[in-house]
Amino acid sequence: MSVASAAPPVRPPARPPAPATDRPVPPAVLAAAHGLTVCGARPGIVEYTRRLWARRHFVTAFAAARQEALYTEARLGQLWQVLTPLLNAAVYFLIFGMLLGAGRGVPDYIPFLCTGIFVFTFTQTAVQTGARSLTDNVGLVRALHFPRACLPIAATLLQLRQLLLSLGVLTVILVAEGIPFTTRWLLAVPALFLLTVFNTGLALAMARIGARTTDFAQVLPFVTRTWMYVSGIFYDLSRISSGAPHAVVLLLDVNPALVYVGLMRFALIDSVTREQLPPHIWPLAAGWAAVAGCAGYAFFWSSEEEYGRG
């Protein structure tokens, strides 16, 4: 009798491997896997500067367009760009020069006053328009993707164009007052360049603050007006501060508005001597421009992703 061989045992089918995990994949990982980037993400400051420079033509065109639109509804049109600084100078001369006698003992008081008013107005309006540059153009900020620093820089450029027109008026005043043209007038070019860098940095910083706190633009005119009164715009500040404590005199001397106004007066008015200027005025002017320009630019860039989202 033969014995049948035993059949091999039947194995159950292999089970499919269980998934490694049931957790959802983070969106950042999915985006990186598919080569996606965050829309409107802040680039590095070097790349940001490169993009800003690539849009320099937009900045200049935007400033020019805003300047042409300033007085389009007025009958005298663009003539107001010349009349406005003249009327401001006339009003301040009437109040401070004639009624208060602030010009007594100040040689060439009319050029002295006009230079101070025109130069400080550049700083004042650049700061105030810079603070509103993002909120006034919020539709543009939300609709298009571009470096937001274009807007406060364009606002400063607009005020610089206004100042150049005012300086043309000032040249006529200087000639009418008998002030001779000298090579010292060339010093106005580097002084104006440093002032523009300083004002641009302030406008950038004020733009970030103004975008976060909309009421800030309402308070700013009172701040700049106070700044104007302590900057020797209407009178020779050195005569008033001669008997003040040394710390007060030092604070007044390093006041950037006084520094830049003093440089422009020294460049254009021959009766203004070096002894009337704060010591080390050129290093002060360069230092204020470097600090305000770099700090204001970095301060504005650090919040680039937040503009237009509130």
Side-chain angles (χ1 to χ4, degrees), residues 244-258:
H246 177 71
V248 175
V249 175
L250 181 61
L251 287 176
L252 293 175
D253 283 346
V254 300
N255 176 4
L258 178 64

Side-chain angles (χ1 to χ4, degrees), residues 25 32 62 112 115 122 134 219 222:
V25 180
F62 186 75
F112 178 92
T115 304
F122 175 33
L134 295 177
V219 179
F222 299 98

Side-chain angles (χ1 to χ4, degrees), residues 17-208:
T21 178
D22 293 333
R23 300 177 189 174
V25 180
V29 176
L30 287 175
H34 293 83
L36 302 178
T37 58
V38 179
C39 180
R42 181 188 67 196
I45 195 166
V46 176
E47 174 63 18
Y48 186 78
T49 304
R50 188 193 64 79
R51 295 181 186 180
L52 183 61
W53 175 252
R55 288 164 176 81
R56 61 191 181 278
H57 302 296
F58 164 74
V59 173
T60 55
F62 186 75
R66 292 297 298 268
Q67 184 179 22
E68 293 180 3
L70 281 177
Y71 303 104
T72 52
E73 298 182 359
R75 289 191 176 184
L76 296 180
Q78 301 303 315
L79 186 59
W80 279 109
Q81 297 189 37
V82 176
L83 292 177
T84 300
L86 279 176
L87 292 175
N88 282 334
V91 169
Y92 287 123
F93 175 73
L94 175 64
I95 296 174
F96 290 92
M98 300 184 66
L99 297 181
L100 299 180
R104 295 194 187 103
V106 179
D108 302 314
Y109 181 68
I110 293 179
F112 178 92
L113 176 65
C114 291
T115 304
I117 292 173
F118 294 165
V119 173
F120 186 81
T121 299
F122 175 33
T123 299
Q124 184 180 39
T125 52
V127 168
Q128 293 178 5
T129 56
R132 301 191 307 268
S133 59
L134 295 177
T135 55
D136 288 351
N137 299 282
V138 66
L140 185 63
V141 171
R142 291 175 177 173
L144 300 175
H145 180 64
F146 62 95
R148 309 314 188 200
C150 291
L151 296 177
I153 292 176
T156 306
L157 182 59
L158 168 61
Q159 301 309 320
L160 175 61
R161 295 166 68 100
Q162 295 284 94
L163 175 63
L164 293 178
L165 290 173
S166 300
L167 292 180
V169 175
L170 179 61
T171 302
V172 176
I173 295 174
L174 294 175
V175 173
E177 288 291 315
I179 295 178
F181 174 81
T182 64
T183 55
R184 231 166 68 176
W185 283 31
L186 298 177
L187 293 175
V189 176
L192 188 58
F193 171 76
L194 293 175
L195 174 60
T196 303
V197 175
F198 174 79
N199 288 348
T200 302
L202 282 187
L204 287 165
M206 296 303 105
R208 172 178 171 176

Side-chain angles (χ1 to χ4, degrees), residues 182-188 190 236 238 253 258-259 262-263 265-284:
T182 64
T183 55
R184 231 166 68 176
W185 283 31
L186 298 177
L187 293 175
D236 187 355
S238 61
D253 283 346
L258 178 64
V259 168
L263 280 178
R265 283 171 174 164
F266 175 73
L268 300 176
I269 306 173
D270 60 341
S271 59
V272 177
T273 62
R274 292 183 180 273
E275 290 72 21
Q276 296 174 254
L277 302 178
H280 313 295
I281 190 168
W282 281 106
L284 277 174

Side-chain angles (χ1 to χ4, degrees), residues 219-251:
V219 179
L220 197 55
F222 299 98
V223 177
T224 56
R225 195 175 306 153
T226 305
W227 189 15
M228 177 174 60
Y229 289 137
V230 298
S231 299
I233 306 301
F234 313 111
Y235 39 77
D236 187 355
L237 193 62
S238 61
R239 299 184 179 185
I240 300 175
S241 61
S242 58
H246 177 71
V248 175
V249 175
L250 181 61
L251 287 176

